[in-house]
Amino acid sequence: MIDACLDVIADVGVDGTTHRRVAAAADVPLGSMTYHFAGMDELLREAFTLFADQVATQFARRLDSATSEEEAERAVVDIILHDTFGTDRDLVLTHELYTLAARRPEYRTITQTWMARSRAALERHFDPSTARLLDALIEGLTIHRALDVTRPDDALVVEAVRRILRP
């Protein structure tokens, strides 16, 4: 049901997500929704928590595979080019979560936990200030790349990461 909820959010947005739509997508009786979830907020929190956890886990996995500073630099580039917002679905889900967290503070714990995990993964290779800058760069560049009408140049990502790591 939680995965189905994410699919519905990606398709129609948070505002269009209803128990009825999620139940249909999950192929379960509508009554199952209210049995398992106290309300739509609980379902949305569960769904966005799962999504953020999956993205943060992939982020950490990519960085954990790096055994040198050069490999960590390449991992950051790969996160931007291949992982974050790897699909249109991920892009939509991320922005739906950001919008919800901007409007409703109770959802900020999800984004704050996600950011803390990202920074912790980066801090295994870089000092805390650099990790914070890289985290912001990753977010910003992936948003720009995802929403740009022309194919962005991958070399720009490499250059941006290098400018932060080798000023």
Side-chain angles (χ1 to χ4, degrees), residues 7-67:
D7 290 340
V8 171
I9 294 167
D11 187 39
V12 298
V14 167
D15 286 345
T17 300
T18 63
H19 282 292
R20 185 173 307 282
R21 281 186 169 144
V22 174
D27 196 26
V28 299
L30 181 57
S32 295
M33 300 305 299
T34 54
Y35 177 79
H36 291 287
F37 303 99
M40 186 54 68
D41 273 338
E42 182 181 357
L43 177 58
L44 290 173
R45 279 193 306 276
E46 292 283 333
F48 279 127
T49 298
L50 174 67
F51 173 71
D53 181 63
Q54 291 170 340
V55 175
T57 297
Q58 172 61 28
F59 189 103
R61 190 177 299 125
R62 177 78 76 175
L63 283 160
D64 287 347
S65 67
T67 59

Side-chain angles (χ1 to χ4, degrees), residues 71-89:
E71 287 180 8
E73 181 178 320
R74 184 66 207 165
V76 170
V77 169
D78 287 342
I79 286 167
I80 296 167
L81 295 179
H82 306 294
D83 295 346
T84 309
F85 309 150
T87 66
D88 288 342
R89 178 183 185 270

Side-chain angles (χ1 to χ4, degrees), residues 12 17 32-33 49 66 71 82 97 99 102 107 116 119 122 137 148 164:
V12 298
T17 300
S32 295
M33 300 305 299
T49 298
E71 287 180 8
H82 306 294
L97 172 57
T99 300
Y107 286 88
R119 287 188 200 125
L122 288 162
L137 177 73
D148 201 335
I164 289 176

Side-chain angles (χ1 to χ4, degrees), residues 104-150:
R104 302 193 42 207
E106 65 269 25
Y107 286 88
R108 283 192 202 134
T109 58
I110 298 169
T111 56
Q112 288 170 343
T113 300
W114 182 358
M115 287 187 295
R117 286 185 64 192
S118 297
R119 287 188 200 125
L122 288 162
E123 285 176 12
R124 289 193 278 279
H125 301 282
F126 310 106
D127 67 84
S129 294
T130 301
R132 186 174 281 273
L133 289 170
L134 285 170
D135 193 36
L137 177 73
I138 291 166
E139 291 283 329
L141 282 179
T142 52
I143 289 169
H144 280 243
R145 290 175 59 78
L147 299 177
D148 201 335
V149 294
T150 60

